[in-house]
Amino acid sequence: MSRFTKEMESRAHQILALYPERRSATIPLCHLAQEQNGYLTEESMIQIAELVGTTPAEVLGAASFYDMLHTEPVGKYVVGVCTNIACLLQGGEELLSHAEEKLGIPTGATTDDGMFTLEDMECIAHCDHAPALQVNYRFFGPLTNDSFDTLVDDLSAGKLESEVPPHGTLSRVQRKHPIAVPLEEIVRHRRDSDAKEGERLAAKAAAESKEGSN
Amino acid sequence: MTDSEKTLKLTVNGKEVESAPGEMLIAAAEKAGVLIPRFCYHPRLEPVGVCRMCLVEVKGPRGFTLQPACYISVADGMEVLTDSDKAKKAQDGVLEFLLANHPLDCPVCDKGGECPLQDQTLTFGPGESRFIEEKRHFEKPIAISKLVYLDRERCIQCDRCTRFAADIAGEALIDFEGRGGSLHITTFPDKPFASYFSGNTAQICPVGALTTTPYRFKARPWDLEQVESTCVSCAVGCQMVVQSSENEIVRYLGIDSEAVNQSWLCDKGRFGFESVSSAERIASPYLNGASGVVETGWSQALDAIAKTLKSAEADSVAVIGGSHMANEDVYTWVKFAKGIIGTDSVDAQLDDGLDPKVVALSDRATIQEATQAKLLILLTGDLREELPILFLRIRSAAKKMGLKILEISQSESSLTGDAAVSLRYFPGHAEDLVDGVLGAEIDPGLYSGDLQAARALVSSVDPGSVVVVGGRENLAGSSLDPERAIAKLLDTLAGAKFLSGLRRGNVNGAIDLGMVPGFVPGRVRLESASDSLKARWKSLPSKAGRNSKEILEAALRGEIKVLFLLGADLVSDFGDSALAERALSKIPMVVGIDTLTNRTTQYCSVVLPATAFAERHGSTTNIEGRVSILGKKLVGFALSRPEWMIAVELAAYMGEDLGFEHLQDIWEEIQEVSPLHRGLSISVLGAPSAKEGIVVPLSASKVQITSRRVLDPIATPGITSVGVSGPPSSSAALPGEADMVFTGEAYSPARSKLLDLLADKDGANPGPEADNFALVVSKRLYDHGVEVLSAKHLSELVSPSKGRVSPRSWEQIGLNGSGLTRLQGNGASIELELIQDPSLLDGVVKVEFDGALGEVSKLFGVESSTNRVKMEKV
Ligand code: SF4
Ligand code: SF4
Ligand code: FES
Ligand code: FES
């Protein structure tokens, strides 16, 4: 099942409706496809191209640029160990080697049971918890070899299901209504806030000149 | 650029340079003779500034800084240094960086010897590499289509091929995959680079990353010989160079002709050269009699024909074909047939075009005028399939210049998406829909689309700024309906111009030179032949002749005794192939003059070998009426002869003298007898500055021929290897060559309303019927024509014909899942795969013509103006 399901397709159309240019929905739709299949299947890229009016090659081209979009199958959990400077100093590299041993795969590979994919990451902005890692973009850290093992075991045992959704799901909270703000409203809002800002500046200038004359 | 447009002054390396606002620095500098190295920059593509090869120093508020010259436009007072130490260091550094991962397999690379990377490394590069690390590796060339190979190791990521595919061709079938060090060009899995324009990417790739299959390992560029010529695979007339090695054509390259192809070629044109060296070439004259095929000499063959001709009534002699011949051949054959034999039954069209009166007697537009029109009305087949480069020109005018298009057709085309309004009509009702657009009532069952919008569109523009592209969308329908529709548009919209949508090589030139019934050379009607013509011709036909359909019908009645086929494969290309076969077998003498054997050859009693493209000099005429040169690069194959020579000798065997010894004699006579061509002397036509060709008629009393245009911009100007191999240097004008002004003669065709010249509307032409589907037979670029089939690599691209019906009709036939359907019409039945096409009206079936396969043509008869088929699920 690689093309969008009925439900996903209707979400896809909601996403498309948000953009004045259909093409701009490419990346959000790629995430949607990943949410359904865990990664971007060929069929889903073809369907996205149909939906946004480009070609499959262009969808592949865009998707392959980004690390968060996978065009090859990945595990249910994508584990990204940070090896950037703060984590490196706190043993990030060692943690990565340990992870390779624990999972029995080299960096970049996926376990045979399809549960884990291991990646090394640049800074994930969790430096204050170095050495840090992320599982499907949920942060964990600081980690030791032992706490890493526990994390993996818990994930395998399904104990963290509520915290970490399967790879591809960015958020389990769904927007109920699409934000469809009419352009006129945006323009009106902008005009109002510009006017307010103008008033503020004028008042400020007046106050300053008063001060100066005093 | 005229001087008045040059409003800016900047200094480049201390020298003052004039430029116009909006011009890119790299182009302004080049015009002033300063070459800035480049890879990604291409004058026909949008700038991207990705390769950084063109870094130069530009003075700004913080002093001189490095900036890409292809990505900044000129400004008044700009100060630029292109050869400072800093600029040189930058160029040196960029080259070292590009070469870091370059495999340097020049000795086995097709590009070696004409490679901008080699050339610029030599001129601007570091000389030595410091890179000792392992380079990145990819599987060596992978076929991304049947015509193009990709070597990812050689790619320097200049983005030219991808910009071409996405922006110019509008089919982004290739794109970059990955990022940084792993960036590479890719196609999508199982979706090859199957574009009609793919060959262009290999031509503009600045390295040997993209190469074309037919040219791979064929030659080294420094061994190539070349000549400039005009493509005649279709009637756009793209300018190109023919390159050969050891008397064999190895490739064609597009020339940057501003007026016509703007450097692009379609793949059919580019790769069609393989048919010249096809094994099907006819080597010597032969007779095909009761005792089988007997090879013979020219004299015996011509003697036999001349004897028969002398005893035949003028009326019983006919000529079909000639649309692929050079103008000089056409004129000679017209003079031979009409002036000596005295028959007017001469037709270059195979009932697949339009009434020549529409084409010859309307005011004609150029491609440039069509792209700059206020409104372009399309009433023709899918231009991407029929006149590919015209499609590119119109598409880019719509995308970039906002050209407004009104499409009136029977099914969706490649330009439907770019049309402001697109209307569908039920087959046979083009005229009714045009009436509707012009304000009349129309039966709503006969069309679909927004008629109100179309009316508003037409009335919003000055009729004089409208251009109508008119052609033949449906081979199965009568041609009268589109002819009348086009005539109505041109008659009603005063001042509107016509651009011919007739697609066969030189068919427009053949019409101009009278190779159609009812005309003599110069778009002049037979009855108005001039005195100068009468002075040169022995006689004129006493009555108007037949067109090709009428010739075949007359043959069935036994009225045709001798038929000349000039490169006309009637059995494959004539819509009603059954009629063609029956008629051919009734004619006592069929003379086939052709380059290749084909399905019609077996019906010929005498077969004469003609020289092929690039084996002869001459000129050709495109859809605009643009006369341009055909170059000769090869020695003619075996005993073949140019067609004009065959006519001259045949006349001599009959004891007549056509008066031509050289090609030049013919052109001089054309100029004398054809008001259309008057003033267009050989010296004008052959002038180096007239390389783009010259549009006839020369109605203005003075026509200025602009300087020779920039040739292929792949070439890196100023670098020597280019002079040896690639197309000629790409400076704007060749030094020392002044603009040329010559005087033509005022010419305008005398005519009343076009519509008055056409037959009356067909009487009973029903609309949709319950179980009777109206048949639309359309043309494809890669059809089963002998031209495609005899070119090895093109022949692999031909796919089985498909049929299309609307989703409602699909259901009505009871199809689900498989579309296999039996179609019955004209007493025959064939099976076809159908697909759904929501753009079609209900009750219409559109089928792609399949030429030599001869299946589709069984379905319709040319006698019927409303071809209907019954369909049932298989
Ligand atoms: S394949 Fe050629 S044209 Fe395409 S990006 Fe690479 S170097 Fe440029
Ligand atoms: S568009 Fe026509 S003239 Fe141009 S390259 Fe193609 S076949 Fe030749
Ligand atoms: S360096 Fe590891 S999270 Fe910032
Ligand atoms: S960046 Fe200017 S030519 Fe490539």
Side-chain angles (χ1 to χ4, degrees), chain B residues 38-41 49-54 70:
Chain B
R38 78 287 301 270
F39 288 111
C40 67
Y41 168 73
V50 292
C51 75
R52 319 310 278 182
M53 191 59 222
C54 64
C70 74

Side-chain angles (χ1 to χ4, degrees), chain B residues 230-280:
Chain B
T230 307
C231 177
V232 290
S233 284
C234 82
V236 175
C238 296
Q239 299 299 299
M240 63 179 189
V241 287
V242 175
Q243 299 189 329
S244 71
S245 170
E246 304 189 325
N247 202 37
E248 192 183 326
I249 301 177
V250 291
R251 68 174 175 185
Y252 296 154
L253 293 176
I255 287 180
D256 195 337
S257 154
E258 172 69 25
V260 187
N261 55 319
Q262 307 199 333
S263 93
W264 314 124
L265 296 179
C266 73
D267 286 357
K268 183 176 177 185
R270 184 183 298 272
F271 301 112
F273 69 84
E274 288 181 308
S275 72
V276 173
S277 53
S278 152
E280 302 294 305

Side-chain angles (χ1 to χ4, degrees), chain B residues 15-74:
Chain B
K15 211 171 87 183
E16 193 164 274
V17 170
E18 291 196 326
S19 177
E23 194 169 30
M24 289 296 159
L25 176 55
I26 196 168
E30 187 174 328
K31 280 197 199 130
V34 177
L35 178 85
I36 301 171
R38 78 287 301 270
F39 288 111
C40 67
Y41 168 73
H42 187 292
R44 294 283 175 202
L45 300 174
E46 292 297 317
V48 278
V50 292
C51 75
R52 319 310 278 182
M53 191 59 222
C54 64
L55 289 175
V56 293
E57 285 198 83
V58 179
K59 193 168 183 185
R62 288 173 297 145
F64 280 100
T65 50
L66 286 171
Q67 297 191 34
C70 74
Y71 209 62
I72 46 170
S73 36
V74 290

